[in-house]
Amino acid sequence: MDSGLSEDPVALKILIAGGFGVGKTTLVGSISEIKPLRTEEVLSDRGIGVDDLDGVEAKTTTTVAMDFGRITIREGLVVYLFGTPGQERFWFMWDELSYGALGAVVIADTRRLTDCFPSVDYFEQRGTPFVVAVNCFDGADQHSVDDVRIALDLDTDVPVLLCDVRRRTSAKEVMVTLVEHSLRTLTAAG
């Protein structure tokens, strides 16, 4: 019987983080049910000497604020995706973007693995649950999950997955793993 009262909608917030050019914008775009909001700008001369294009020489744009997407799980339950900017000069936005987040996905590129250290450090220091999603780029050397875990010095409870952020099913697996990990972490914390 309908009581006339509606449930308050629940919104979950997930951050997508990582270094410059690792696939944050692509992941948001591959899984969002709406056309993502993107704040991409063409790389300019001002980035010369600041933006490290090693391994991503073909990259022509960069996120300057955030990417935003949405996934409806069911009526009354929505996941909002916020892709963070990857360059150090935009990190000042992370505190605002991370406020109220359930957890985060740190995307790693094994061609430039050290670029994800700042993201890992950020979420570890704040106690934000996160997973590491190793984006398997075409032509890049493939490494095992265990090798990546050791290289990043991650705790054994931090999930590490191999993925292809261009594929919706792969991005979905990453999101499901993050939500399950976040719920376990938050439940254990009481």
Side-chain angles (χ1 to χ4, degrees):
M1 181 172 163
D2 185 13
S3 66
L5 300 175
S6 63
E7 275 188 38
D8 289 333
V10 175
L12 304 176
K13 182 179 189 180
I14 293 176
L15 293 183
I16 313 300
F20 176 63
V22 296
K24 299 176 298 292
T25 298
T26 302
L27 185 140
V28 172
S30 73
I31 197 165
S32 178
E33 67 190 22
I34 62 171
K35 182 179 178 183
L37 168 67
R38 294 186 172 141
T39 59
E40 288 205 312
E41 293 293 333
V42 175
L43 290 171
S44 68
D45 292 343
R46 293 190 316 200
I48 295 173
V50 176
D51 299 328
D52 181 5
L53 294 174
D54 287 342
V56 289
E57 292 83 2
K59 186 164 178 58
T60 60
T61 61
T62 187
T63 300
V64 295
M66 67 175 183
D67 297 312
F68 174 79
R70 182 185 74 210
I71 306 167
T72 301
I73 305 299
R74 60 172 164 75
E75 185 176 340
L77 180 57
V78 178
V79 176
Y80 294 117
L81 306 170
F82 289 83
T84 64
Q87 294 144 290
E88 184 175 355
R89 68 180 178 270
F90 299 121
W91 288 352
F92 67 91
M93 298 182 63
W94 284 36
D95 287 337
E96 291 298 321
L97 290 174
S98 66
Y99 181 77
L102 174 70
V105 174
V106 175
I107 302 178
D109 176 352
T110 58
R111 298 172 300 181
R112 301 178 343 236
L113 199 55
T114 58
D115 288 358
C116 73
F117 281 132
S119 300
V120 169
D121 290 345
Y122 181 89
F123 298 118
E124 283 181 340
Q125 290 171 8
R126 285 159 182 78
T128 303
F130 69 96
V131 300
V132 174
V134 180
N135 194 7
C136 299
F137 285 90
D138 295 336
D141 291 339
Q142 300 298 308
H143 299 276
S144 73
V145 167
D146 291 333
D147 288 345
V148 172
R149 178 182 307 287
I150 291 166
L152 294 177
D153 193 28
L154 296 172
D155 290 339
T156 56
D157 65 324
V158 175
V160 179
L161 303 89
L162 302 178
C163 69
D164 181 342
V165 299
R166 300 170 298 182
R167 294 182 37 241
R168 183 177 180 84
T169 55
S170 188
K172 180 180 175 182
E173 180 183 351
V174 170
M175 294 300 155
V176 168
T177 302
L178 172 64
V179 171
E180 290 173 345
H181 173 63
S182 295
L183 291 175
R184 277 192 309 272
T185 302
L186 296 172
T187 301

